[in-house]
Amino acid sequence: MIKPGIPKGTRDFGPVVVRKRNYIFQTIRETFELFGFQPLETPAMENLSTLTGKYGEEGDKLMFKVLNNGEIYPAAHEAKDNKALVAAITEKALRYDLTIPFARYVVMNQHELALPFKRYQMQPVWRADKPQKGRYREFYQCDADVVGSNSLLNEVELLLIYDTVFTKLGLKGYELRINNRKILAGLAEVIGKPELLTDITISIDKLDKIGAAGVRKELEERGLASEDINTIERFLAIDGSSTEKLSQLKELLQSSATALKGIEELSFVINAGYADFNTTPIIDVTLARGLNYYTGLIVEVKAPATVKMGSIGGGGRYDDLTGLFGLPGISGVGISFGVDRIYDVLEELQLFPQTAQQSTKVLFLNLGEDSARKAFDYMMQLRKNGVAAELFHENAKMDKQMKYADKRGIPYVIILGESELQENTLSIKNLVNRQQEKIEAAALLQFTF
Amino acid sequence: MIKPGIPKGTRDFGPVVVRKRNYIFQTIRETFELFGFQPLETPAMENLSTLTGKYGEEGDKLMFKVLNNGEIYPAAHEAKDNKALVAAITEKALRYDLTIPFARYVVMNQHELALPFKRYQMQPVWRADKPQKGRYREFYQCDADVVGSNSLLNEVELLLIYDTVFTKLGLKGYELRINNRKILAGLAEVIGKPELLTDITISIDKLDKIGAAGVRKELEERGLASEDINTIERFLAIDGSSTEKLSQLKELLQSSATALKGIEELSFVINAGYADFNTTPIIDVTLARGLNYYTGLIVEVKAPATVKMGSIGGGGRYDDLTGLFGLPGISGVGISFGVDRIYDVLEELQLFPQTAQQSTKVLFLNLGEDSARKAFDYMMQLRKNGVAAELFHENAKMDKQMKYADKRGIPYVIILGESELQENTLSIKNLVNRQQEKIEAAALLQFTF
């Protein structure tokens, strides 16, 4: 008999963890709903034709492909190489993210949907990445996107969703960093090297890690002239309040219409007065993220510096979300919550409320048939009143039953011994402060557990 | 460009359906928690060594296997037949049910778990069945099981969970049918053909479909003697109240100790007085279900006869759940909810409450920048008060904005025109009864949406 295990990079979630995760999901879901977003669920398996080529070569490699059912030997036998073999024996793969299935859904349902369509989706995705600390092969994504609207009100709304969720979760000291892809594109235009946009942003994205000198060195290696690098350094030196940053950007990049458009968009989001943020968004001109996606806003949520967790969310605007599936010209903007990291952050900062950790409130001890019958009645009354309650399954030694309550973290034990049965009372023991009191049976539903 | 689609037998769930499904899941989850059951989630992929051979040959065939990542060509190339090929290129498969992963989890965590362990699990499973009406390749299972206790209190509790959930869902006229495997085994003993237990139960299980004459014919074909069939017919003729059925069973099967044990167990569940059912369980001696699993109680929930949906739930007791993974002697008892069918039943009987279908309550019309800014403030106030609200994303024609509200089923529209802005009022239009009223802006949070 082999010892049972689970595939590497996957996890079982036991009761305590599921409850805490559900607290996070529930907080996010509630907020999505308050903001008028609607739930969508797509299948775990998608056709390979839907997924292939959408996530780059790396993505095609890391996708979990599902073997065709039935006889595969003949088809496999004829294949001349790995690629042909895989193509011959698979036609489905596991969901790799939530964005491509969403785009596919929008295209398939374009005639029924009321646009703009604001959807949220919270489902697992699978990637054959090398498992390591904080990186799993099965993990939940938790996305909200709007398609079919170019209005910057959506950007404001999505930032407010972050603000609302993290406020509800009690998280303080996190940062909501924003940028605009058009500003980065404008910078490349201003130094006359639009074709080097990707190189430039990859380098400046590393400012935090390698410092200004490191960035300079990298840019030199990527073939940028010294005066271009000077411009980039002036760009990186932009500082001050949001208003100051915006005006410095305007001055430095005034020759690029693209940049000015980006600055205007950022300015709207920051200054619209549409919204009071608990945590004001910070302009971060180095913020790039998966640059090739984004065409407007770029946003990233950084965990409080004290927990060293990095990004706990991000998103942005991407034009032409559905063009891949034959429906061009539909713009999208969305955000994502990194639930696994948020979990770790809340755990480290001890921000999970008691209610997120609670299960059964009351254990009735089983002291034999007469007592158990009576206890069962009381238990059903409590349950009808919304109090989670259990009766120990057998008339075991008191000690064993108390141990069960302890191990399960049940805070109250109710005892219906002979005297209680005679007096029509109940003894309630609080296992937290170890105090015991006797109440009239009729007062049970008024008791605060 | 190929038209995008999804794998056959799978489904997208749009907003309206997700909300209704969540209403069902939430009702079940709430009840599980009230009864002291704890949530568990296991990975979508399990090792093949965990799953293979656990669901019979049919199951091994219908499992969705996941292709190993990386180069598979060399290993595949050497394989001499289909079986060897599949073994060479796969080591994981998608979850096929929730019971085996649960057993695997219990064995892996046996030293940490407080026994009895009462867990519930609500996750999708995947089977490559031929898709047809009501049968999908991806569907949710929704199980509650207790392991590590032989107490019949668990049977009573699980039946009460069915009773509580279906009462909460407002379902009337369904049947909670129960039987005990030991009674069926006892019947086979009494006629001296214990080895024909499976044949006998397969035949009598069809009583509803083929009638008494049909069953007789089948039993003859299966080689049973005429007098044995007479005994079986007396068994099938058992009728009356539960008490009457139990006493007839006792008389007919008195020579089998196994049967008497089963009758005693059934009697406990029916008569324990532990529980007041809204829908009293009915003894159905023909009920067998996946007989090979069960060793004690067998239960099945039948949808109200009017909807012709058949079974909407079932379960039973099975000994030695974890023996497959090297931990023998652990008994389990569990039930399952057929969520897809329950959905169809509630839909047909129009039992989904209005609240399960509600999304955004209020749409603020967008009438230009000044109005929109003000509207945004009011909207955020409503959201903070728990009212889901939206502001139309752009200053479009009134008609277009009203159509959006209609299509989304939003019941209220709020208008902040010039006069309202001047007067500090809001016009609220109820789209259901088409009535419009004007309120003081300060009274917004008191308005009942």
Side-chain angles (χ1 to χ4, degrees):
Chain A
M1 174 91 40
I2 6 162
K3 239 184 129 183
I6 51 177
K8 63 178 175 183
T10 70
R11 293 167 287 174
D12 284 323
F13 296 117
V16 175
V17 180
V18 172
R19 287 211 179 86
K20 288 181 178 172
R21 284 170 63 90
N22 282 348
Y23 162 72
I24 299 175
F25 287 127
Q26 192 47 32
T27 303
I28 298 174
R29 181 183 296 117
E30 232 175 68
T31 307
F32 285 161
E33 291 273 350
L34 279 178
F35 279 69
F37 283 70
Q38 303 193 82
L40 173 69
E41 289 179 17
T42 63
M45 293 186 282
E46 291 275 354
N47 291 327
L48 269 174
S49 56
T50 300
L51 302 185
T52 307
K54 305 304 192 300
Y55 307 103
E57 242 177 82
E58 184 75 352
D60 289 344
K61 250 189 232 161
L62 298 185
M63 230 169 255
F64 281 109
K65 295 176 189 74
V66 178
L67 198 66
N68 294 344
N69 284 85
E71 194 75 18
I72 57 164
Y73 188 72
H77 198 66
E78 280 174 26
K80 293 286 175 274
D81 58 23
N82 202 67
K83 202 175 158 186
L85 175 60
V86 173
I89 61 176
T90 63
E91 57 192 21
K92 298 179 288 296
L94 297 186
R95 193 166 49 217
Y96 192 80
D97 78 348
L98 303 179
T99 308
I100 292 296
F102 171 50
R104 192 240 338 119
Y105 177 85
V106 169
V107 173
M108 282 175 71
N109 296 277
Q110 52 185 291
H111 303 299
E112 288 78 48
L113 290 176
L115 289 186
F117 180 45
K118 311 200 273 182
R119 89 84 175 78
Y120 70 90
Q121 195 168 350
M122 304 162 80
Q123 291 190 284
V125 301
W126 296 269
R127 298 180 183 180
D129 262 318
K130 206 176 151 63
Q132 56 186 64
K133 192 179 176 300
R135 192 195 281 165
Y136 303 99
R137 291 186 154 190
E138 172 179 64
F139 59 97
Y140 265 74
Q141 288 195 336
C142 195
D143 289 12
D145 292 83
V146 186
V147 285
S149 166
N150 293 309
S151 168
L152 291 169
L153 275 179
N154 297 305
E155 272 81 341
V156 177
E157 290 270 64
L158 290 168
L159 293 175
L160 274 170
I161 285 179
Y162 273 139
D163 192 66
T164 304
V165 166
F166 289 119
T167 302
K168 281 186 187 173
L169 292 178
L171 192 64
K172 293 197 174 74
Y174 69 93
E175 291 177 349
L176 208 52
R177 294 176 171 264
I178 59 174
N179 195 12
N180 192 299
R181 153 78 184 251
K182 296 188 181 82
I183 292 174
L184 294 169
L187 172 66
E189 280 177 20
V190 165
I191 60 175
K193 304 265 172 27
E195 73 281 5
L196 289 187
L197 170 56
T198 306
D199 293 80
I200 295 169
T201 49
I202 287 174
S203 297
I204 67 178
D205 206 17
K206 295 186 193 159
L207 182 62
D208 271 359
K209 278 187 209 146
I210 59 177
V215 172
R216 178 158 204 114
K217 192 158 161 262
E218 252 207 49
L219 290 169
E220 279 166 1
E221 283 163 13
R222 287 174 190 270
L224 277 120
S226 180
E227 64 175 274
D228 297 340
I229 299 179
N230 289 344
T231 305
I232 294 173
E233 285 190 334
R234 279 171 60 208
F235 179 82
L236 295 179
I238 281 170
D239 203 10
S241 69
S242 286
T243 316
E244 287 162 356
K245 283 179 186 167
L246 287 168
S247 96
Q248 291 168 44
L249 279 170
K250 223 180 264 179
E251 202 192 313
L252 183 67
L253 305 176
Q254 57 188 300
S255 64
S256 159
T258 311
L260 291 177
K261 184 81 174 58
I263 293 163
E264 192 193 316
E265 290 181 10
L266 215 45
S267 172
F268 179 91
V269 169
I270 289 280
N271 295 317
Y274 276 110
D276 281 328
F277 286 90
N278 293 301
T279 296
T280 312
I282 298 167
I283 295 174
D284 174 359
V285 295
T286 69
L287 184 66
R289 291 180 55 89
L291 176 88
N292 294 326
Y293 276 40
Y294 298 123
T295 53
L297 175 80
I298 303 171
V299 53
E300 185 162 284
V301 187
K302 294 225 167 182
T306 50
V307 293
K308 298 194 175 34
M309 198 72 69
S311 166
I312 51 175
R317 183 175 282 277
Y318 37 85
D319 287 343
D320 202 21
L321 169 71
T322 55
L324 292 164
F325 299 109
L327 180 66
I330 302 269
S331 179
V333 56
I335 57 169
S336 188
F337 285 85
V339 172
D340 284 301
R341 286 190 176 184
I342 293 171
Y343 184 98
D344 290 343
V345 170
L346 297 188
E347 194 72 310
E348 190 167 333
L349 299 176
Q350 303 191 333
L351 290 176
F352 282 109
Q354 205 49 43
T355 50
Q357 304 175 48
Q358 222 148 44
S359 57
T360 299
K361 281 276 188 70
V362 177
L363 176 72
F364 285 88
L365 296 192
N366 189 328
L367 305 173
E369 208 176 319
D370 287 346
S371 165
R373 271 171 205 270
K374 200 85 187 151
F376 204 102
D377 278 347
Y378 292 132
M379 173 175 72
M380 287 304 289
Q381 287 176 31
L382 281 183
R383 287 172 177 170
K384 275 181 189 134
N385 246 26
V387 179
E390 296 179 46
L391 165 63
F392 197 71
H393 67 122
E394 60 184 11
N395 181 6
K397 287 212 178 105
M398 179 88 92
D399 185 44
K400 188 176 172 187
Q401 302 194 39
M402 294 301 280
K403 259 192 195 147
Y404 174 82
D406 258 349
K407 207 162 177 186
R408 284 282 314 280
I410 299 174
Y412 293 94
V413 154
I414 295 186
I415 300 150
L416 264 168
E418 270 175 46
S419 63
E420 284 90 351
L421 284 174
Q422 266 174 10
E423 300 161 7
N424 217 12
T425 58
L426 302 159
S427 289
I428 303 182
K429 181 161 189 174
N430 179 325
L431 295 188
V432 181
N433 63 22
R434 313 308 284 184
Q435 295 200 328
Q436 186 166 325
E437 62 181 303
K438 206 178 246 189
I439 66 164
E440 294 295 322
L444 176 63
L445 297 185
Q446 277 71 55
F447 193 88
T448 312
F449 288 104
Chain B
M1 174 93 39
I2 6 161
K3 237 183 130 184
I6 51 177
K8 64 178 174 181
T10 70
R11 294 166 287 176
D12 283 323
F13 296 116
V16 175
V17 180
V18 172
R19 285 209 181 87
K20 289 181 179 172
R21 285 169 62 89
N22 282 347
Y23 162 71
I24 300 175
F25 287 127
Q26 191 48 33
T27 303
I28 299 174
R29 182 182 295 115
E30 233 175 66
T31 307
F32 285 161
E33 291 271 351
L34 279 178
F35 279 69
F37 282 70
Q38 304 193 83
L40 173 68
E41 289 178 20
T42 62
M45 294 185 281
E46 290 276 355
N47 291 328
L48 270 175
S49 56
T50 300
L51 302 185
T52 307
K54 306 304 193 299
Y55 308 102
E57 244 177 79
E58 184 77 352
D60 288 346
K61 250 189 231 159
L62 298 183
M63 232 169 253
F64 281 108
K65 296 177 188 74
V66 177
L67 198 66
N68 294 343
N69 285 85
E71 194 75 20
I72 57 163
Y73 188 72
H77 198 64
E78 282 174 26
K80 292 287 177 273
D81 58 23
N82 202 68
K83 203 176 159 189
L85 174 60
V86 173
I89 61 177
T90 64
E91 57 191 21
K92 297 179 290 294
L94 297 186
R95 192 167 47 216
Y96 191 80
D97 78 348
L98 303 179
T99 308
I100 292 296
F102 171 51
R104 193 242 334 120
Y105 176 85
V106 169
V107 173
M108 282 175 70
N109 296 276
Q110 52 184 290
H111 303 300
E112 287 79 46
L113 291 176
L115 288 186
F117 180 44
K118 312 200 270 183
R119 87 87 174 77
Y120 69 90
Q121 195 168 351
M122 306 162 81
Q123 291 190 283
V125 300
W126 296 269
R127 297 180 184 181
D129 261 318
K130 207 177 151 64
Q132 57 187 61
K133 191 178 175 301
R135 191 194 284 165
Y136 304 99
R137 291 186 154 190
E138 173 180 62
F139 59 98
Y140 264 74
Q141 287 195 336
C142 196
D143 289 11
D145 293 82
V146 186
V147 286
S149 165
N150 293 309
S151 168
L152 290 168
L153 276 178
N154 297 304
E155 272 80 343
V156 177
E157 290 270 65
L158 290 167
L159 292 175
L160 275 171
I161 285 180
Y162 273 139
D163 191 68
T164 304
V165 166
F166 289 120
T167 302
K168 282 186 186 172
L169 293 177
L171 193 64
K172 291 195 175 75
Y174 69 93
E175 291 176 349
L176 208 52
R177 294 176 171 265
I178 60 174
N179 195 12
N180 193 299
R181 153 77 185 251
K182 296 189 181 83
I183 291 175
L184 295 169
L187 173 65
E189 281 177 19
V190 164
I191 61 176
K193 303 268 173 24
E195 72 283 4
L196 288 185
L197 170 56
T198 306
D199 293 80
I200 295 169
T201 49
I202 288 174
S203 297
I204 67 179
D205 206 18
K206 294 185 192 159
L207 183 62
D208 271 359
K209 278 186 208 145
I210 60 177
V215 172
R216 179 160 200 111
K217 194 159 160 263
E218 251 206 52
L219 290 171
E220 279 166 2
E221 284 164 13
R222 286 175 192 270
L224 276 120
S226 179
E227 62 175 277
D228 296 340
I229 299 179
N230 290 344
T231 304
I232 293 174
E233 285 188 336
R234 280 172 60 208
F235 179 82
L236 294 180
I238 281 170
D239 203 10
S241 69
S242 287
T243 316
E244 286 161 358
K245 283 179 187 167
L246 287 168
S247 95
Q248 290 168 44
L249 279 170
K250 225 180 264 180
E251 203 191 313
L252 184 65
L253 306 177
Q254 56 187 301
S255 65
S256 160
T258 311
L260 292 177
K261 184 82 174 60
I263 294 163
E264 191 194 319
E265 290 182 11
L266 216 45
S267 171
F268 179 91
V269 170
I270 289 279
N271 296 315
Y274 277 111
D276 281 328
F277 286 91
N278 294 298
T279 296
T280 312
I282 298 167
I283 294 175
D284 175 359
V285 294
T286 70
L287 185 66
R289 294 182 54 91
L291 176 87
N292 295 324
Y293 276 40
Y294 298 122
T295 52
L297 175 79
I298 304 172
V299 52
E300 184 162 285
V301 187
K302 293 224 168 180
T306 51
V307 295
K308 296 191 176 36
M309 199 71 71
S311 166
I312 52 175
R317 181 175 283 276
Y318 37 86
D319 287 343
D320 202 22
L321 169 71
T322 54
L324 293 163
F325 299 109
L327 180 66
I330 303 270
S331 180
V333 55
I335 56 170
S336 188
F337 286 85
V339 172
D340 285 302
R341 287 189 174 183
I342 293 171
Y343 184 99
D344 291 344
V345 169
L346 297 188
E347 193 72 311
E348 191 169 331
L349 300 176
Q350 304 191 333
L351 289 176
F352 282 110
Q354 206 48 44
T355 49
Q357 304 175 49
Q358 223 149 43
S359 56
T360 299
K361 283 278 188 73
V362 177
L363 177 71
F364 286 87
L365 296 190
N366 189 328
L367 306 172
E369 208 176 320
D370 286 348
S371 166
R373 269 172 207 270
K374 201 87 187 148
F376 204 101
D377 278 348
Y378 291 132
M379 174 174 70
M380 287 304 288
Q381 287 175 32
L382 282 184
R383 287 172 177 171
K384 274 180 190 136
N385 245 26
V387 178
E390 297 179 45
L391 164 64
F392 197 72
H393 67 120
E394 61 185 9
N395 181 6
K397 286 211 178 107
M398 180 89 92
D399 185 44
K400 186 176 173 188
Q401 302 193 39
M402 294 301 279
K403 260 193 194 145
Y404 173 83
D406 258 349
K407 209 164 174 182
R408 283 283 313 280
I410 299 174
Y412 292 94
V413 153
I414 295 186
I415 301 150
L416 265 168
E418 269 175 48
S419 64
E420 283 90 352
L421 284 174
Q422 265 172 13
E423 298 161 7
N424 216 12
T425 58
L426 300 159
S427 289
I428 303 183
K429 183 162 187 173
N430 178 326
L431 296 187
V432 181
N433 63 22
R434 312 310 283 183
Q435 294 200 328
Q436 186 165 326
E437 63 180 303
K438 206 177 246 188
I439 65 163
E440 294 296 321
L444 175 63
L445 296 186
Q446 278 71 56
F447 193 88
T448 312
F449 289 103

